[in-house]
Amino acid sequence: MAELKLLFEHAGNPAYQTIEGYIAKGGYQALDKALKMERQAIIDQIKASGLRGRGGAGFPTWIKWNGLPKEKTKRHHIVCNADEGEPGTFKDKQLMEETPFLLVEGMTLAGIACQGDAGYIYIRGEFIDAAKAMRKAIDEAYAAGFLGKNIRGSGIDFDLYIHLGAGSYECGEESALMSSIMGERGMPRLKFPHAPLPTIAGLWDEPTLINNVETFCCAPFIVNKGGEWYATMGASTKNSRGTKLFSVSGHVGKPGNYEIEFGTTLMELLEMSGGMTGGKLKACVPGGSSVPIMTAEMCDGAIIGYEEMMQAGSMVGSGGCMFLNDKTCIVQFIWRTAMFYAVESCGKCTPCREGTKWMLQILERIVKGNGQPGDKELLLDITSQIDGRSFCGLGDAAAWPVAGAIKVFPEEFDYYIANGKSIVGSPLPMVPA
Amino acid sequence: MHGHKTFDSSALPRALTERPRILVQPLESMAAVAETRLVTITINDVELQVPKGELIVESVKRLGLEIPIFCYHARMKPVGMCRMCLVEVGFKQPDGSVRKMPKPQAGCTLPADNNMVIYTDTEMVHRDRKGVLEFLLVNHPLDCPICDRGGECPLQNNTIFYGPSTTRFTELKRHLPKAYPLSQYVTLDLERCIQCGRCVRFTEEISGDAQLAFRFRGSNMQPSTFQLLDFDSKFSGNVIEICPVGALTSAKYRFRARPWDLETSPFNCLECSNHCSVWFDHRAGKFVRMNGRTNEAVNEEWTCDKGKFGQDWINDSNRSVKVMVRKGDAFAESTWSEAYDQIIAAFSGGHCAALIGGKQSNESLFLLGKLFRDGFKSNHLDSRWTRHLTDDALKLAPDTIASLEHKKTILILGTSLADELPMVFLRARKAWFKNGTQVLNVTAKANEADAFATQSLRYDEDHEADVVAGIRLALEGAADDAFALVARRAQVSAADFRAIAKELGPDTAIITSRSIFNVGDAGDVLDGLQAIARKTGCTFNCYAVNGNDAGAEALGLIGGQGSLNTREILEACVNYRVKALWLFDCNPFDLYPDHHLVNDALESVAFLVVQGSNSSSLTPYASVVLPSAAPAEQDGSYVNMEGRLQRGKGMLQAPGDAKPSWRIFSELLLRTAGGTPYFNPSEILQAIGQEVPSFAGVGDGELLKSAVAGGVTA
């Protein structure tokens, strides 16, 4: 299958970044439609679409939308997770920069469906351009009456705010993100069953809906053209519907964001993005750095879909797809990945705080040629002591790539440990201190 | 029951396995019980009922089991940081099977709910505990042999019970400052820190000064003050006790003893009139350190820095150890009998008086009273040092510390609670933090209570009477111009008075301290506050502040009704009507505001007995100096500001010739009034019970009968 541009249909068109251009291309039709719909009908459309969270976990979106209390007793908050920090992922950045009104409209739709009072877009601190684009779009939407008091004369109010992060990967975790918005240290909070779900008690203990940028951007299309229409895309997969953005990087001819329909194969995605350069395909990390790495054999025939990718031994994740050629040293690649997680661990829980650092120390020793027999087994053991034991998902995300790489490329680790150098002869890369 | 492989129910007490459904009374220190509704849960195949929402870490205690913990503390919100308490959790399905959650769950944050099934003794749980301990130890310096915490360290204990026997860590350990002085009292060893956050949470949740926070992140995360400022808290010593490792150490105790060399005794701190329960640790007859002891009625388990670090005087080189008698111009060491002879000669005849202060036991005070009345035929004794004197004693403390927790409103007037009554401060804060009590802080100067007060009202110093008058006017609904005078004098607007007044009601407690009697027009303040209490139905507490003041007042060691009060005694010394004065454990220069009067009195009085545990600047005035034992050196009972009688045990030897005060008075009583002497404090306490009605039948830890907790309002 080829690219299927839905969200990205007008990406790159400067006119689409103005409210006039957006409306000219069919924007805000969904909002006008939604204002005439029952709240539950909007949620039913989301349900019919089969839309699942695009941030990585793939949780059915409608359940969240439906989870906020129907009888409103407190303020309701709509939060957009735009803290896109997963290494290899850069789709939300482009969405915010080139199709900002999709996000504004999507969040407004959620606000209408869930009786939200205000929306907060938590944008990664480094995304200055994205934040500027969103600011401009929000200002224009306010001026044109699509935000603020009495939207389009409907009597519904909805405000939208931008909150810039301060450079912490952990704040992309939804409960840490809420801590950060509330002015606390960016550390995760207790989750169900230890505490109520965010849809019951999130920001300031009030019902809160949190979705990814891409998820919100899908909403206008679903509301406008109907959930059933949306569900026709990706119908060949078990339970994945619609389109998905993939940020393709690595040793490919044309790295960048590609929108594909679920059911496309991983190899088709590789082809779209210009094919391999500098060598044959050796490995692929299909969904951002935290998902298990795949060998070329595993990639062969792998179909992109939440369940299908699980079957192939990895995950769709956030869509940060990295293709690696056969000159790549997997041990060094994993070392660099482990460094990221050791630096970004927030420090709250023991397994992640101590485990990520320890794994990094061992991997660093190995890549510098001082590996010892037993290091591989020790690393595997450490990952099993982190995975599922940490406070939030960051620990799991740090453990999976290491465990996954050792599982599918054991010979690379064995060779590096035994010989003190890479199996592919790759020299030690410089990394920022 | 569920066919789980590794659980061995024979490890449980028999009674538990035989009776599958147990209902246990709620634990006292339960941290988070959201509801009283009971739910049925299963722990290691034993079914039991617990309140819904009770944390699993508490529920397992009902079966006599324990989940190891580091970060969890029953008095603070659970955070689930250390992961030491991981347990396996499942849910009973309608068909009776158990669906286990894929990941282990933190027992310290998991609220009990129906059909929950907990396993604390499976292979996975043991492996997880071992894993967490291995992680905690990779960067923990194993300097236990020189660590203050060694021997009483939760990390040591959990490692021995649940941890790996060796390490697989061969990398370089984290190196950080070893002895960073957070404050003059608290020294931080960052290498030992396991980042459990107890100290940080203590300053946020309990003391409320939020002095500590985490800096940096990941494996570099460390507790610290903001911008490395001094750890400026009145409760900083508590973080040393709750630290589960040797990271936070006491600057005063550092490297001074090993825990197994210490002897410890239960004791009551007498630095203020809260009388916190503490452990008094001593080694080779010397005081070493003081730690909090659990007493839900008074201090829960906390201490204040003033008490915890203020006990050095017991070991002081300045201790009074010799009986000294003035012979002509010389002042020489002497014997007890010579001193007694001189005292009896000077005091007999009735023109004598005694001034009382400090930390002396009820037994000593009672015998002093008896000695003066029966032996010296004088009734001139006073234990009060404020400018304005009242004899209402414990009638002015209807609220106990614990009952403050359930007030709707607390009005603090004219006292900095954190300084004068630290445990009342902590309860008032807890009331606000846990139960949403609103606190109105009406003081001349800013203080700690402002941090959580709903309203803080500042007025011009020494104008408490005008403030009280203003509140009364507001209660009476007076018009704006009626406020003109008080508003100008106190520098408070009518609107502010009204804002305070409208919050007062039957669920309100007004709190002030005896130091309010030092302000101008103190009588008006007292009358005014009592009138406010009558009008609004609230309770009015004027708590005693120092040592055993409440005990002295309960025993009637106060002037008035024919006997001279403090001021009159001092004046009588100046005009020679009092010829012999006994200063019992007090220095009038420190206690009494009018220094000229004190100086004149001490210079004029013919015979002056200075009795105390430490030498003081009074020696030049003295005719006789009597060394007496410190509270830790004698048995005795004490009454705190709420009227709670608490008995203490002496554990140290008094230095030199020093004797317990009650023994001195008993010996003098025998020489003057005759009769059977008292041989020990228990006997004296019994006698007190017979002679003083409010003490009759009052046991250790109970309130005196005149202390009318929740009863009479002023």
Side-chain angles (χ1 to χ4, degrees):
Chain A
M1 279 187 256
E3 269 189 87
L4 178 71
K5 290 192 170 183
L6 180 69
L7 272 56
F8 270 172
E9 193 186 351
H10 304 290
N13 176 1
Y16 200 64
Q17 295 158 31
T18 64
I19 194 148
E20 298 81 19
Y22 181 67
I23 293 170
K25 299 286 183 193
Y28 277 122
Q29 284 176 11
L31 181 75
D32 287 340
K33 209 170 154 186
L35 289 171
K36 294 188 195 89
M37 287 163 77
E38 290 288 316
R39 283 195 294 270
Q40 193 58 40
I42 302 173
I43 297 172
D44 288 343
Q45 288 303 315
I46 302 289
K47 183 178 180 182
S49 74
L51 178 66
R52 293 169 69 175
R54 300 295 195 234
F59 188 79
T61 304
W62 77 274
I63 295 184
K64 283 192 189 179
W65 287 40
N66 201 38
L68 278 87
K70 310 287 177 196
E71 292 291 318
K72 194 171 158 185
T73 54
K74 295 172 171 175
R75 287 183 301 172
H76 289 188
H77 307 285
I78 311 295
V79 177
C80 173
N81 185 344
D83 191 48
E84 184 177 51
E86 182 79 3
T89 315
F90 40 85
K91 62 183 177 69
D92 295 343
K93 182 173 186 290
Q94 193 177 350
L95 280 174
M96 286 188 284
E97 285 174 9
E98 297 182 9
T99 65
F101 284 101
L102 275 182
L103 178 57
V104 175
E105 189 180 357
M107 288 186 72
T108 314
L109 290 173
I112 294 166
C114 305
Q115 308 182 66
D117 295 277
Y120 304 88
I121 311 177
Y122 188 95
I123 303 179
R124 176 176 168 175
E126 291 90 335
F127 285 180
I128 299 295
D129 291 340
K132 280 182 180 163
M134 289 312 302
R135 177 79 269 155
K136 183 168 159 283
I138 291 172
D139 289 346
E140 286 182 23
Y142 265 106
F146 289 100
L147 278 177
K149 296 264 175 273
N150 193 13
I151 295 172
R152 308 282 283 161
S154 64
I156 294 174
D157 304 338
F158 188 69
D159 287 307
L160 202 50
Y161 302 97
I162 291 176
H163 189 108
L164 271 178
S168 164
Y169 170 71
E170 176 56 21
C171 288
E173 199 276 348
E174 67 173 24
S175 65
L177 184 149
M178 292 194 289
S179 298
S180 180
I181 289 183
M182 290 187 281
E184 296 171 13
R185 190 180 159 92
M187 276 183 166
R189 305 161 77 80
L190 292 175
K191 288 194 257 305
F192 190 80
H194 303 267
L197 290 165
T199 49
I200 303 299
L203 279 179
W204 299 289
D205 271 348
E206 292 166 337
T208 302
L209 172 75
I210 301 194
N211 276 138
N212 178 257
V213 176
E214 192 185 342
T215 317
F216 277 125
C217 288
C218 293
F221 297 99
I222 295 169
V223 173
N224 196 18
K225 300 188 182 174
E228 267 145 40
W229 166 82
Y230 188 84
T232 57
M233 292 180 289
S236 64
T237 62
K238 186 165 174 247
N239 218 352
S240 316
R241 298 290 177 268
T243 63
K244 173 85 189 84
L245 300 181
F246 272 85
S247 309
V248 184
S249 63
H251 304 123
V252 292
K254 293 187 291 173
N257 283 320
Y258 293 88
E259 186 169 10
I260 51 114
E261 186 184 345
F262 278 112
T264 311
T265 65
L266 201 53
M267 297 319 273
E268 282 170 337
L269 180 63
L270 174 58
E271 213 170 293
M272 263 175 235
S273 47
M276 294 305 295
T277 57
K280 286 193 300 172
L281 175 66
K282 176 179 186 177
C284 170
V285 181
S289 68
S290 59
V291 307
I293 194 167
M294 298 167 84
T295 61
E297 295 77 59
M298 289 159 79
C299 296
D300 224 11
I303 296 167
I304 295 174
Y306 291 105
E307 283 72 24
E308 288 75 8
M309 285 302 281
M310 290 272 240
Q311 220 168 0
S314 192
M315 288 160 75
V316 171
S318 59
C321 188
M322 292 173 267
F323 290 102
L324 310 175
N325 69 17
D326 53 6
K327 308 281 194 310
T328 314
C329 174
I330 298 298
V331 182
Q332 288 175 1
F333 175 75
I334 290 300
W335 165 51
R336 185 63 189 85
T337 307
M339 187 181 296
F340 174 80
Y341 288 104
V343 168
E344 292 296 342
S345 167
C346 82
K348 178 159 188 161
C349 71
T350 308
C352 176
R353 179 182 68 238
E354 303 292 345
T356 52
K357 173 87 187 294
W358 190 5
M359 287 199 300
L360 174 64
Q361 284 176 305
I362 296 172
L363 283 163
E364 187 151 323
R365 191 158 47 70
I366 294 173
V367 298
K368 286 183 175 163
N370 301 319
Q372 288 162 4
D375 275 349
K376 194 181 74 181
E377 292 71 23
L378 179 58
L379 276 172
L380 271 179
D381 231 31
I382 296 173
T383 59
S384 75
Q385 282 170 214
I386 301 174
D387 183 10
R389 277 73 189 154
S390 57
F391 190 96
C392 77
L394 195 147
D396 303 346
W400 290 339
V402 179
I406 294 178
K407 213 162 82 192
V408 299
F409 292 103
E411 69 287 350
E412 295 227 357
F413 285 85
D414 289 336
Y415 184 90
Y416 218 132
I417 291 168
N419 301 293
K421 58 182 185 189
S422 167
I423 198 167
V424 292
S426 138
L428 201 57
M430 296 291 285
V431 291
Chain B
M1 204 185 287
H2 313 116
H4 197 272
K5 274 185 293 240
T6 51
F7 177 68
D8 174 14
S9 63
S10 66
L12 281 172
R14 261 182 74 105
L16 297 187
T17 49
E18 280 168 7
R19 285 185 297 134
R21 289 179 78 90
I22 322 170
L23 170 61
V24 193
Q25 287 304 305
L27 300 175
E28 243 178 45
S29 68
M30 229 137 45
V33 180
E35 297 178 39
T36 46
R37 195 149 58 89
L38 295 173
V39 293
T40 305
I41 62 169
T42 310
I43 299 173
N44 294 354
D45 292 351
V46 181
E47 219 172 65
L48 73 160
Q49 289 188 299
V50 299
K52 184 177 161 65
E54 180 180 75
L55 298 174
I56 294 303
V57 69
E58 297 287 346
S59 298
V60 300
K61 291 180 188 166
R62 297 169 182 276
L63 295 188
L65 301 174
E66 200 193 349
I67 297 177
I69 47 158
F70 289 114
C71 69
Y72 175 74
H73 191 287
R75 295 187 201 278
M76 299 191 273
K77 282 183 190 163
V79 284
M81 288 172 81
C82 73
R83 316 307 284 172
M84 190 63 211
C85 60
L86 292 176
V87 290
E88 276 194 81
V89 180
F91 288 92
K92 210 175 260 181
Q93 302 300 303
D95 63 0
S97 66
V98 174
R99 217 175 89 200
K100 275 197 185 180
M101 294 176 80
K103 297 175 176 182
Q105 301 292 318
C108 76
T109 52
L110 190 64
D113 206 345
N114 264 325
N115 299 323
M116 208 172 245
V117 185
I118 312 289
Y119 303 94
T120 70
D121 195 20
T122 64
E123 216 168 290
M124 179 164 144
V125 169
H126 286 295
R127 190 177 171 278
D128 290 342
R129 289 174 183 169
K130 203 173 268 195
V132 169
L133 279 164
E134 180 175 37
F135 283 143
L136 286 177
L137 291 171
V138 294
N139 280 308
H140 187 82
L142 296 177
D143 58 353
C144 309
I146 57 141
C147 175
D148 281 338
R149 207 73 161 126
E152 54 175 21
C153 171
L155 180 58
Q156 254 185 346
N157 294 348
N158 280 341
T159 304
I160 287 165
F161 286 120
Y162 308 105
S165 51
T166 181
T167 180
R168 297 181 288 178
F169 185 77
T170 54
E171 324 301 326
L172 198 66
K173 286 203 183 218
R174 186 166 59 215
H175 284 296
L176 290 163
K178 286 294 279 181
Y180 183 81
L182 276 183
S183 73
Q184 58 171 329
Y185 298 132
V186 185
T187 306
L188 173 62
D189 185 323
L190 273 171
E191 287 190 345
R192 293 183 189 147
C193 177
I194 60 167
Q195 288 87 11
C196 72
R198 273 186 172 193
C199 52
V200 173
R201 286 180 289 141
F202 174 85
T203 66
E204 285 171 0
E205 295 180 24
I206 308 291
S207 68
D209 43 48
Q211 289 272 315
L212 298 179
F214 278 121
R215 313 165 71 206
F216 310 130
R217 71 179 178 217
S219 62
N220 296 321
M221 187 168 86
Q222 45 180 264
S224 154
T225 50
F226 290 99
Q227 304 189 323
L228 302 181
L229 295 168
D230 219 36
F231 182 16
D232 179 19
S233 165
K234 285 169 177 145
F235 303 93
S236 68
N238 292 294
V239 301
I240 300 167
E241 287 177 53
I242 58 174
C243 179
V245 291
L248 291 160
T249 55
S250 159
K252 292 200 166 191
Y253 170 71
R254 224 170 134 78
F255 303 129
R256 280 192 52 203
R258 308 315 315 270
W260 53 85
D261 286 337
L262 294 177
E263 283 182 76
T264 189
S265 316
F267 187 64
N268 302 309
C269 174
L270 295 166
E271 286 310 308
C272 77
S273 64
N274 284 153
H275 295 189
C276 293
S277 293
V278 292
W279 291 109
F280 188 94
D281 292 355
H282 49 104
R283 177 171 177 263
K286 291 277 178 198
F287 164 78
V288 178
R289 68 172 178 183
M290 212 172 81
N291 284 336
R293 176 162 60 90
T294 303
N295 181 348
E296 300 297 337
V298 180
N299 57 323
E300 303 193 291
E301 65 184 77
W302 313 120
T303 54
C304 72
D305 287 0
K306 194 169 64 167
K308 189 180 174 75
F309 300 112
Q311 304 294 332
D312 288 349
W313 61 273
I314 299 173
N315 292 343
D316 210 339
S317 58
N318 185 34
R319 282 295 295 270
S320 179
V321 292
K322 290 282 178 221
V323 180
M324 307 283 278
V325 169
R326 190 172 295 279
K327 290 171 184 161
D329 288 341
F331 206 46
E333 282 182 25
S334 181
T335 61
W336 284 100
S337 59
E338 191 183 356
Y340 285 166
D341 289 344
Q342 289 207 10
I343 289 169
I344 290 165
F347 277 74
S348 296
H351 298 289
C352 59
L355 291 173
I356 301 154
K359 304 162 180 149
Q360 292 306 326
S361 66
N362 298 330
E363 290 76 3
S364 302
L365 295 166
F366 174 72
L367 283 196
L368 177 68
K370 229 175 165 46
L371 171 66
F372 265 71
R373 283 159 198 155
D374 297 351
F376 300 152
K377 312 290 182 215
S378 160
N379 206 18
H380 306 312
L381 302 109
D382 209 332
S383 59
R384 302 162 304 171
W385 295 95
T386 45
R387 201 181 287 175
H388 178 85
L389 299 168
T390 173
D391 54 358
D392 277 339
L394 296 160
K395 290 195 193 70
L396 292 178
D399 285 312
T400 61
I401 299 178
S403 72
L404 293 174
E405 247 176 69
H406 305 289
K407 293 288 176 187
K408 192 164 156 271
T409 306
I410 294 175
L411 168 65
I412 303 168
L413 194 122
T415 170
S416 169
L417 273 191
D419 291 303
E420 292 203 312
L421 297 161
M423 292 307 134
V424 178
F425 171 83
L426 287 188
R427 276 309 165 119
R429 188 176 189 284
K430 185 184 176 189
W432 167 77
F433 192 74
K434 289 228 159 123
N435 304 332
T437 299
Q438 62 162 342
V439 175
L440 316 168
N441 192 32
V442 183
T443 52
K445 287 183 187 152
N447 59 48
E448 281 80 359
D450 291 335
F452 55 93
T454 353
Q455 291 185 44
S456 288
L457 185 62
R458 291 292 100 85
Y459 51 80
D460 244 25
E461 230 172 319
D462 214 33
H463 282 95
E464 280 78 1
D466 296 312
V467 173
V468 172
I471 296 174
R472 281 183 75 179
L473 283 172
L475 280 172
E476 284 154 13
D480 273 356
D481 46 347
F483 288 89
L485 180 67
V486 289
R488 182 170 51 77
R489 291 215 298 222
Q491 290 295 309
V492 177
S493 71
D496 285 343
F497 283 130
R498 289 198 183 107
I500 295 286
K502 79 173 166 50
E503 304 299 340
L504 305 180
D507 277 346
T508 303
I510 302 180
I511 298 178
T512 187
S513 77
R514 292 293 158 90
S515 48
I516 198 104
F517 295 158
N518 279 327
V519 305
D521 301 329
D524 293 348
V525 177
L526 195 60
D527 293 345
L529 287 172
Q530 282 173 324
I532 290 172
R534 275 194 301 274
K535 186 161 180 76
T536 60
C538 67
T539 51
F540 166 52
N541 304 279
C542 183
Y543 292 129
V545 175
N546 297 314
N548 196 24
D549 280 2
E553 290 179 32
L555 288 164
L557 297 190
I558 46 178
Q561 283 151 11
S563 66
L564 303 177
N565 64 29
T566 305
R567 165 161 284 276
E568 289 161 351
I569 289 172
L570 290 170
E571 284 166 354
C573 290
V574 177
N575 55 35
Y576 308 114
R577 282 197 289 123
V578 163
K579 298 193 168 61
L581 179 65
W582 192 305
L583 293 179
F584 179 27
D585 197 32
C586 60
N587 186 340
F589 287 111
D590 294 343
L591 295 167
Y592 200 69
D594 189 345
H595 284 199
H596 287 294
L597 177 60
V598 171
N599 189 51
D600 289 351
L602 298 188
E603 281 185 349
S604 314
V605 73
F607 194 89
L608 180 70
V609 176
V610 174
Q611 181 199 346
S613 45
N614 286 50
S615 316
S616 66
S617 57
L618 299 172
T619 312
Y621 300 96
S623 312
V624 168
V625 171
L626 301 179
S628 57
E633 293 157 358
Q634 57 184 324
D635 293 0
S637 67
Y638 305 89
V639 177
N640 80 353
M641 44 32 101
E642 45 176 1
R644 193 177 302 281
L645 179 82
Q646 298 188 107
R647 299 182 69 173
K649 197 136 184 63
M651 54 225 114
L652 300 181
Q653 191 74 40
D657 292 344
K659 280 183 188 180
S661 305
W662 64 267
R663 189 181 290 280
I664 299 173
F665 303 139
S666 180
E667 287 169 357
L668 276 167
L669 204 53
L670 181 67
R671 283 167 164 78
T672 52
T676 318
Y678 293 101
F679 285 111
N680 62 54
S682 313
E683 209 176 54
I684 304 171
L685 188 57
Q686 228 169 0
I688 296 176
Q690 282 157 9
E691 293 187 25
V692 185
S694 60
F695 281 77
V698 177
D700 189 13
E702 291 173 10
L703 294 170
L704 292 192
K705 299 236 166 80
S706 61
V708 275
V712 175
T713 48

